[in-house]
Amino acid sequence: MADGTESEQAAVVVNGNPPQLTKSARKKLLKQERQAARKAERKVAEKARRRADIERRRREWEESLAAAPSAEAREEMLAARRETRLERVGKRVEERGARAERLRRAAEGAGQKVVLDLEFADLMRPNELHSLTQQIMYCYAVNGRSTTPAHLWLTGCSGEMGTQVQRIPGFDKWIIEKESKSYLEAFADCKENLVYLTADAETVLDDLDMSKIYIIGGLVDRNRWKGITQKKAVDQGIQSAKLPIGNYLKMSSSQVLTVNQVFEIMQKFVETKDWKTAFFHVIPPRKRGEAGAADDEAEASLGDDAALEGTTNGDHPEGDLEKSSDEEADDDDAGDEEDGVSKKRHCVRSENGKC
């Protein structure tokens, strides 16, 4: 993905030869390629480590089984293992049910309304669309884990973006509002309650209002389209606001965050009513300035949670999602042949809510 302004990405035609990238654009491209290569290497190494761990645990189990003093002892070991696995499966089913119930209550009016605006698909490249899809998946996962989930909406969910999200496993069963039309159409009767969250807004949020419908722009563009979400809000005559990052952090780089980071900050604020806690819980340390780093050290000594604003950038959580799913698979693969219990993930969908 590109990571700069249009002028930096401009191609130059020399003596009628094919367009050439500027020096700045070449440097950015090389940096992105190196980062992508390192990321791929890390993913391969982590997957190999997890698989090796599975094999180690399987060998240890087989050795323990072989060392049993009698056939009766082996049967007891197998029975205890089956029982443990059945208990774990039952716990997961119970947790899924509780999560679904929390999401249903949020959709019935208990949750803060949050919209992910997916009308920018034509401005993104294929890999950026993929990144946004991963961020949407992460938002849904975060919402499901929350004790106070939001009433989450996807609007403009059509065309290429609609195709992308339909490829998500289990998407049709998600408890989430899915609208092919825009948020202006979906909330035509309460337009005055719409608030677009954008780093370019002048208004700073002090609190989240349950009567408001907060919109997060679904745009992964590496800042190619600067100011586009603020312009959209102004053109449509709706309110805009930004999270109070500057009141708590001095960013070491851009204040523009991913869709999932903005959403998770909002969720953490709903839980804690503390912006600082929300920012430090979500914002990566590499994006914080010296003040943030100093606060990190101080709060770490007290055992507090440490870990911001805007719409999106190119960061995405594929690694976290893959790690989570792989770890669950690892639990199931390490010698589960004897229990024969099938484990499937199920999400559920609710009917469209009202303003």
Side-chain angles (χ1 to χ4, degrees):
M1 282 181 281
D3 188 12
T5 62
E6 291 290 353
S7 61
E8 290 174 328
Q9 301 166 17
V12 178
V13 178
V14 180
N15 296 328
N17 293 324
Q20 298 179 349
L21 292 175
T22 63
K23 182 178 179 180
S24 176
R26 285 198 303 272
K27 287 175 65 178
K28 288 179 182 294
L29 182 60
L30 288 172
K31 180 180 178 181
Q32 291 156 18
E33 290 173 349
R34 288 195 300 269
Q35 290 174 337
R38 285 196 295 268
K39 181 178 179 180
E41 290 172 1
R42 287 196 300 269
K43 291 173 82 170
V44 169
E46 179 62 18
K47 189 170 183 179
R49 185 197 64 77
R50 287 196 295 268
R51 291 304 172 190
D53 191 51
I54 290 174
E55 289 304 319
R56 177 186 58 78
R57 285 183 286 163
R58 181 178 284 114
R59 285 196 305 270
E60 291 175 351
W61 163 249
E62 291 173 351
E63 290 170 1
S64 298
L65 202 60
S70 64
E72 290 79 4
R74 282 195 294 274
E75 284 300 319
E76 289 179 2
M77 290 174 65
L78 288 170
R81 188 178 179 86
R82 282 194 291 268
E83 182 65 25
T84 298
R85 292 194 172 282
L86 287 172
E87 289 178 1
R88 187 165 62 209
V89 171
K91 184 178 180 181
R92 288 178 180 172
V93 171
E94 184 178 339
E95 289 173 350
R96 284 199 295 269
R99 180 174 65 239
E101 181 59 30
R102 291 196 302 271
L103 291 173
R104 287 194 189 95
R105 287 200 302 269
E108 290 169 357
Q112 175 75 64
K113 287 187 176 66
V114 179
V115 172
L116 305 186
D117 174 16
L118 307 183
E119 296 184 87
F120 298 104
D122 58 329
L123 303 181
M124 288 183 281
R125 299 164 180 145
N127 57 343
E128 293 169 342
L129 288 171
H130 175 71
S131 259
L132 178 57
T133 303
Q134 295 290 320
Q135 293 175 26
I136 292 169
M137 291 169 63
Y138 196 88
C139 287
Y140 187 74
V142 166
N143 204 39
R145 290 194 299 268
S146 175
T147 56
T148 53
H151 185 184
L152 194 55
W153 292 66
L154 300 180
T155 62
C157 192
S158 60
E160 182 57 29
M161 197 65 241
T163 301
Q164 289 280 341
V165 295
Q166 286 294 338
R167 293 173 181 163
I168 298 174
F171 177 73
D172 59 324
K173 297 177 182 178
W174 280 13
I175 300 182
I176 193 171
E177 311 295 352
K178 309 161 190 174
E179 291 283 357
S180 59
K181 55 191 176 184
S182 71
Y183 51 82
L184 284 181
E185 295 176 276
F187 297 101
D189 295 336
C190 43
K191 180 180 176 180
E192 67 280 1
N193 291 332
L194 296 174
V195 180
Y196 214 116
L197 297 179
T198 169
D200 300 304
E202 295 183 1
T203 302
V204 178
L205 278 183
D206 294 323
D207 199 355
L208 295 179
D209 186 341
M210 285 294 293
S211 69
K212 300 296 184 182
I213 303 159
Y214 296 101
I215 306 164
I216 302 173
L219 178 61
V220 176
D221 68 331
R222 292 293 189 181
N223 293 334
R224 290 196 312 277
W225 301 100
K226 292 183 178 180
I228 192 170
T229 48
Q230 174 65 10
K231 184 178 184 302
K232 184 175 185 179
V234 171
D235 291 346
Q236 293 179 339
I238 63 176
Q239 303 171 66
S240 63
K242 59 184 177 182
L243 303 184
I245 298 173
N247 296 345
Y248 301 92
L249 289 174
K250 180 180 179 182
M251 300 297 289
S252 59
S253 59
S254 169
Q255 293 192 7
V256 179
L257 296 183
T258 61
V259 169
N260 55 282
Q261 286 170 338
V262 176
F263 180 75
E264 191 170 2
I265 285 168
M266 296 175 70
Q267 286 303 97
K268 182 57 66 174
F269 177 77
V270 169
E271 292 177 9
T272 65
K273 299 301 180 183
D274 186 331
W275 284 117
K276 184 176 181 179
T277 297
F279 293 148
F280 275 76
H281 178 80
V282 177
I283 300 172
R286 62 184 171 77
K287 298 200 74 169
R288 302 181 209 148
E290 294 180 1
D295 285 347
D296 254 357
E297 294 177 1
E299 294 193 10
S301 66
L302 298 174
D304 293 340
D305 286 337
L308 126 227
E309 149 194 55
T311 48
T312 61
N313 64 11
D315 296 339
H316 43 84
E318 293 96 326
D320 293 338
L321 289 168
E322 289 173 4
K323 180 177 179 182
S324 175
S325 60
D326 282 350
E327 285 175 346
E328 293 193 7
D330 290 351
D331 288 340
D332 297 337
D333 289 343
D336 291 355
E337 296 83 2
E338 66 274 9
D339 65 23
V341 179
S342 174
K343 302 176 180 65
K344 296 184 179 179
R345 293 173 174 262
H346 294 291
C347 301
V348 273
R349 180 185 179 186
S350 68
E351 297 297 325
N352 286 344
K354 298 181 179 180
C355 295

